[in-house]
């Protein structure tokens, strides 16, 4: 019996703690965006902002020309362009695709990570070491920029400020325009100075459109009758399978720092979840969202029974400050539960 045909394991046995070096190595676009380019992004003609976003990114890339190492007199030619570009838009309109395309096309030392990966890096290495490692980079890409709490707000304002001052350019994506970051989540009005300073570094580009993922998948998350049997069909593809009760997964996620969820999903082909039910508290729900993000990056199939995974966030959560995060998770769960061994 090979590892692939063995019985599924349990996700609760996966509790990695990644060190700084391992976290830094992860700072590249996720596998599914390896070939993302501006050429294979197909702007939707019904939404002119998509074509405009491509043009804005090309303009941003032009800003690298003649930058690189500064000349003898420490001066660059022409006026300094804004150091940052900020792609703001709905779910599945291709923000990450465009960010990855920009990363691939940019010269020099560059990093690509989600907001949570950068805050985790600071958590693992400390602020000073993180600045030291990132200083001198030509480009820092931050996917899913969001300000969840006052600590992260100060940290990011300071980190990005310092990097931008030393010549690093910054590109970010978010479901929220920069000046609305933090709204409904914490006393954002106490951090207007930080949020204003962050926003002032970016050229904001709004992208409208339909959820690309929903163009060819089911409208709802798929629920199966027999989780182990469907999970078994994924034995045909490389990677491990796990099978757990929904509550056991949630309990486990509470014991692992979200920065390490990337290690929890590593090498997985599919996970089975039984007895899925609606969330009763926001803490569990937000951890699950962070976990879904990592499953999505790694394109791990989800096989589940119980409540459909697009119906696990109750209305009171969906109408609160984290609404967009939940809706993004729903969009991703519809996609991941629609996966088959052939897709
Ligand atoms: N216009 C497009 N042309 C080609 N591929 C696209 C386009 N828009 C999206 N995609 C593809 O659709 C998938 C979803 O896009 P992507 O993940 O970039 O969206 P997103 O805006 O980052 O979504 P989210 O809000 O979930 O982060 C990706 O595989 C991406 O390559
Ligand atoms: Mg994205």
């Amino acid at each position: 019996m090979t590892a692939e045909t063995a019985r599924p394991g349990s996700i609760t046995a996966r509790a990695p703690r990644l060190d700084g070096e391992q976290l830094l190595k992860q700072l590249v676009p996720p596998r599914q965006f390896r070939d993302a380019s501006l050429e294979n992004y197909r702007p939707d003609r019904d939404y002119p902002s998509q074509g405009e976003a491509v043009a804005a990114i090309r303009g941003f890339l032009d800003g690298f020309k003649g930058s690189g190492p500064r000349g003898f007199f420490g001066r660059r030619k022409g006026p300094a362009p804004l150091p940052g570009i900020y792609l703001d838009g709905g779910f599945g309109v291709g923000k990450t695709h465009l960010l990855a395309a920009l990363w691939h096309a940019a010269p020099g030392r560059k990093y690509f990570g989600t907001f949570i990966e950068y805050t985790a890096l600071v958590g693992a290495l400390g602020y000073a070491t993180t600045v030291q490692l990132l200083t001198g980079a030509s480009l820092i890409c931050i996917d899913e920029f969001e300000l969840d709490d006052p600590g992260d707000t100060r940290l990011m304002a300071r980190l990005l400020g310092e990097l931008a001052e030393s010549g690093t350019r910054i590109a970010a994506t978010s479901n929220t325009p920069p000046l609305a970051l933090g709204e409904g989540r914490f006393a954002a009005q106490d951090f207007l100075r930080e949020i204003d300073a962050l926003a002032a570094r970016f050229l904001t580009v709004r992208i409208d459109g339909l959820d690309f993922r929903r163009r060819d998948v089911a409208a709802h998350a798929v629920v199966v009758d027999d989780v182990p049997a469907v999970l078994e069909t994924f034995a045909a593809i490389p990677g491990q399978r796990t099978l757990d009760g929904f509550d056991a997964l949630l309990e486990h996620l509470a014991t692992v720092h979200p920065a390490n969820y990337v290690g929890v999903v590593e090498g997985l082909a599919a996970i089975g979840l039984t007895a899925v039910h609606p969330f009763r508290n926001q803490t569990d729900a937000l951890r699950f969202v962070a976990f879904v993000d990592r499953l999505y990056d790694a394109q791990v199939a989800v096989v589940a029974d119980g409540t459909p995974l697009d119906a696990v966030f109750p209305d009171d959560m969906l109408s609160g400050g984290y609404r967009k995060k939940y809706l993004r998770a729903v969009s991703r769960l519809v996609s991941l539960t629609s996966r088959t061994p052939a897709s």
Side-chain angles (χ1 to χ4, degrees):
M1 216 189 315
T2 68
E4 278 72 28
T5 55
R7 267 165 21 96
S10 171
I11 209 151
T12 61
R14 300 170 148 251
R17 278 201 65 176
L18 306 184
D19 62 24
E21 207 168 298
Q22 288 168 312
L23 290 170
L24 202 65
K25 257 206 341 238
Q26 311 274 352
L27 292 182
V28 293
R31 215 177 343 146
Q32 63 155 323
F33 296 102
R34 207 173 30 201
D35 301 317
S37 70
L38 293 178
E39 289 70 34
N40 63 20
Y41 177 83
R42 302 191 309 277
D44 184 337
R45 279 163 209 258
D46 292 338
Y47 295 92
S49 59
Q50 297 193 4
E52 288 158 22
V54 173
I57 292 170
R58 289 197 200 282
F60 186 77
L61 278 166
D62 283 343
F64 283 109
K65 289 183 189 145
S67 62
R70 291 180 188 204
F72 239 14
F73 301 101
R75 256 192 264 139
R76 292 184 178 140
K77 282 183 203 135
L82 272 180
I85 188 166
Y86 189 103
L87 308 177
D88 160 41
F91 317 106
V93 297
K95 300 182 301 296
T96 303
H97 183 118
L98 289 171
L99 190 68
L102 165 60
W103 186 90
H104 288 301
R109 180 155 63 88
K110 51 202 178 176
Y111 297 99
F112 184 109
T114 57
F115 185 84
I116 192 174
E117 285 176 296
Y118 288 102
T119 52
L121 193 68
V122 177
L125 304 179
Y127 182 79
T129 309
T130 306
V131 172
Q132 217 171 30
L133 281 169
L134 298 181
T135 296
S138 57
L139 176 68
I140 304 248
C141 291
I142 307 171
D143 201 17
E144 292 160 21
F145 199 93
E146 49 200 324
L147 299 176
D148 278 358
D149 69 76
D152 284 350
T153 304
R154 276 208 202 93
L155 179 81
M156 269 327 212
R158 191 170 154 213
L159 179 67
L160 296 185
E162 240 175 277
L163 292 172
E165 292 308 317
S166 70
T168 297
R169 304 180 77 213
I170 297 155
T173 75
S174 183
N175 294 133
T176 308
L179 287 174
L181 286 167
E183 248 171 37
R185 300 180 178 186
F186 60 94
Q189 66 278 10
D190 293 345
F191 293 89
L192 285 182
R193 203 167 50 98
E194 281 86 356
I195 291 173
D196 276 352
L198 272 173
R201 299 188 191 281
F202 293 111
L203 165 71
T204 301
V205 179
R206 165 88 204 161
I207 309 174
D208 304 298
L210 303 174
D211 186 341
F212 197 88
R213 284 186 287 267
R214 294 204 172 187
R215 287 189 202 172
D216 51 19
V217 295
H220 289 285
V222 176
V223 175
V224 304
D225 284 333
D226 185 342
V227 174
V230 177
L231 198 57
E232 186 59 29
T233 64
F234 285 89
I237 62 169
Q240 290 165 3
R241 285 155 294 127
T242 59
L243 177 60
D244 293 276
F246 191 54
D247 280 325
L249 169 73
L250 299 183
E251 261 171 53
H252 182 59
L253 292 180
T255 66
V256 180
H257 190 286
N260 293 319
Y261 290 175
V262 64
V264 174
V265 307
E266 196 179 344
L268 286 176
I271 66 165
L273 294 176
T274 56
V276 173
H277 60 75
F279 283 102
R280 295 181 200 106
N281 74 71
Q282 181 124 291
T283 314
D284 279 344
L286 287 172
R287 281 197 199 105
F288 185 66
V289 167
F291 180 65
V292 170
D293 288 344
R294 298 294 76 77
L295 288 174
Y296 182 70
D297 285 348
Q299 291 291 294
V300 179
V302 176
V303 180
D305 69 16
T307 304
L309 279 161
D310 60 336
V312 290
F313 303 110
D315 288 345
D316 60 323
M317 290 188 201
L318 285 177
S319 54
Y322 296 100
R323 172 184 172 76
K324 290 182 175 176
K325 274 188 133 168
Y326 294 136
L327 292 179
R328 182 179 77 212
V330 164
S331 160
R332 292 177 172 192
L333 284 162
V334 169
S335 162
L336 293 177
T337 58
S338 308
R339 285 185 75 90
T340 63
S343 65

